[in-house]
Amino acid sequence: MKNQMVIKMRWHLTTAMVLAALAGLQAMPAFAWYDFGHEAVAAIAWNKLTPKTKERVTALLSKNPYYSKWLAQVPPRTSEEDKNMLVFSQSATWADAIKKDPNYHADGAEKGNKPDGPACAENLGYSDTRLHKYWHYDDTPFSPDHTTLPPHATPNAQTQIETFRKTLASDSPDDLKSYDLVWLIHLVGDVHQPLHCVTRVIHDDPTGDKGGNDCKLNGKPDNIHSIWDGIVGDAKELQPAIEFAKSLPEAPKSQAKKSDEKIWIAESYKLARKNVYTKPIGKTNGPFDLTDKYKQQARKIGEQRIELAGARLANLLNEELK
Ligand SMILES: [Zn+2]
């Protein structure tokens, strides 16, 4: 308790400095929970890591090509613990940030959104400058009007989480573990977003709505995928995400201890069918007008998924990096 007080006091002291330094943080492009949600997932996880795991992830993240960029966002005189936490939180957005980096390029089919062969599953480390956009989701197709379903694409978020966690537990070189770690920190967040685990196939959209991207809304944002990405918040700065993470209630232990990523994905799929594609979303691609009731329910689910993702990410890292 006393220790918590000290941490809290130290936190308040550094908050003003962090806010000042991060006010100028470059706005990142918006993808999947947006940066806000990913940073919150990581901040939740950080506080549940063992001291040994914290030390190990900090050493691995120092091998990422963006490490100096992350460090540059840490205000001077920040404690070592807070510095490492701020770096860890920023690392959760690396897999999205590279989409705007000219050193990386789209691969696969359909503007990089679909894998086009076994090479798409290669786990090569930082020498690989392919974006692997299709690693960000595991879109399980379903159809409310009995349209024939397209094949379930692989590799996807599930196959990659499975691959990366095995690497962390193996005796692979640290360079590869670093690459797999930043992907894992990101993907555990992604698969807790219901629309990263489903694609709705209808007669007029037989290849699927791409996780709700084709399902349109009146106004802004203009599709349900973006609504869910930003439902918990979309602040561009790091600090509000970290404050948000601290405000969430703990996830139920019975839920948090589930370690199989296939279960996380099945939960998201179920939530999408029940709570995403529900009134006022009809059985077409819209456009629709969302109600306040829909958004309130979505926010509640979003908060639960973020907290759960953070707790599960911590369990995963504590387990695999033993
Ligand atoms: Zn993503």
Side-chain angles (χ1 to χ4, degrees):
M1 199 63 185
K2 195 180 162 204
N3 205 13
Q4 271 184 348
M5 284 282 287
V6 172
I7 291 168
K8 217 168 180 179
M9 278 171 65
R10 194 173 60 195
W11 182 263
H12 285 298
L13 279 171
T14 53
T15 298
M17 292 188 291
V18 172
L19 277 173
L22 297 182
L25 188 65
Q26 192 63 32
M28 287 292 185
F31 308 102
W33 284 136
Y34 296 155
D35 286 352
F36 183 93
H38 282 291
E39 288 156 356
V41 167
I44 291 159
W46 178 263
N47 288 321
K48 298 176 189 302
L49 297 180
T50 65
K52 202 180 147 198
T53 309
K54 284 181 179 175
E55 203 177 306
R56 189 75 180 110
V57 296
T58 299
L60 288 174
L61 291 180
S62 73
K63 296 179 173 295
N64 184 283
Y66 277 37
Y67 183 66
S68 57
K69 284 190 197 184
W70 301 332
L71 270 189
Q73 302 299 333
V74 178
R77 294 183 295 282
T78 300
S79 70
E80 193 67 12
E81 167 75 9
D82 286 349
K83 180 189 87 178
N84 295 338
M85 181 274 291
L86 290 172
V87 165
F88 184 76
S89 295
Q90 292 176 85
S91 78
T93 66
W94 178 81
D96 278 340
I98 57 174
K99 293 177 186 169
K100 291 278 178 185
D101 185 333
N103 295 313
Y104 295 81
H105 64 274
D107 60 300
E110 295 177 30
K111 292 184 187 158
N113 292 310
K114 278 261 152 62
D116 62 356
C120 292
E122 285 170 344
N123 184 25
L124 303 176
Y126 293 121
S127 62
D128 184 357
T129 53
R130 291 173 290 174
L131 287 174
H132 296 293
K133 285 198 223 170
Y134 41 80
W135 285 357
H136 290 254
Y137 40 83
D138 180 7
D139 283 351
T140 305
F142 81 96
S143 176
D145 62 11
H146 310 290
T147 301
T148 305
L149 300 180
H152 189 158
T154 55
N156 53 43
Q158 185 276 317
T159 62
Q160 296 320 111
I161 291 174
E162 190 179 325
T163 299
F164 299 148
R165 72 200 299 174
K166 273 187 198 150
T167 312
L168 290 195
S170 74
D171 55 5
S172 298
D174 277 2
D175 277 334
L176 183 62
K177 286 190 181 182
S178 173
Y179 176 81
D180 289 13
L181 173 64
V182 282
W183 269 107
L184 261 178
I185 296 170
H186 182 84
L187 292 183
V188 173
D190 270 351
V191 297
H192 282 79
Q193 207 279 48
L195 282 169
H196 273 246
C197 298
V198 76
T199 188
R200 186 174 73 166
V201 181
I202 55 176
H203 181 263
D204 293 333
D205 195 0
T207 56
D209 73 356
K210 306 174 194 70
N213 277 290
D214 292 347
C215 187
K216 300 299 181 192
L217 301 172
N218 290 313
K220 291 274 172 196
D222 71 350
N223 69 83
I224 56 164
H225 189 99
S226 298
I227 277 282
W228 279 81
D229 272 353
I231 201 71
V232 294
D234 57 2
K236 301 290 188 290
E237 303 80 22
L238 182 54
Q239 193 57 29
I242 287 160
E243 294 294 335
F244 168 72
K246 287 196 293 182
S247 76
L248 295 177
E250 290 268 324
K253 281 221 157 42
S254 60
Q255 290 288 310
K257 73 176 187 194
K258 290 181 182 171
S259 61
D260 184 344
E261 78 283 346
K262 293 196 184 87
I263 292 175
W264 310 341
I265 289 164
E267 289 168 356
S268 278
Y269 172 80
K270 208 168 145 193
L271 280 169
R273 294 205 51 177
K274 185 162 180 266
N275 299 101
V276 176
Y277 295 101
T278 186
K279 277 184 190 168
I281 304 294
K283 290 181 180 173
T284 68
N285 276 343
F288 302 104
D289 289 296
L290 288 185
T291 58
D292 287 343
K293 193 178 159 207
Y294 181 99
K295 286 187 216 167
Q296 281 159 12
Q297 165 91 335
R299 178 162 176 107
K300 205 171 127 200
I301 293 169
E303 289 180 356
Q304 288 167 351
R305 298 300 283 168
I306 295 274
E307 179 68 25
L308 208 43
R312 287 168 170 174
L313 174 61
N315 288 341
L316 185 159
L317 297 178
N318 285 333
E319 180 64 26
E320 310 300 357
L321 288 170
K322 269 200 293 233

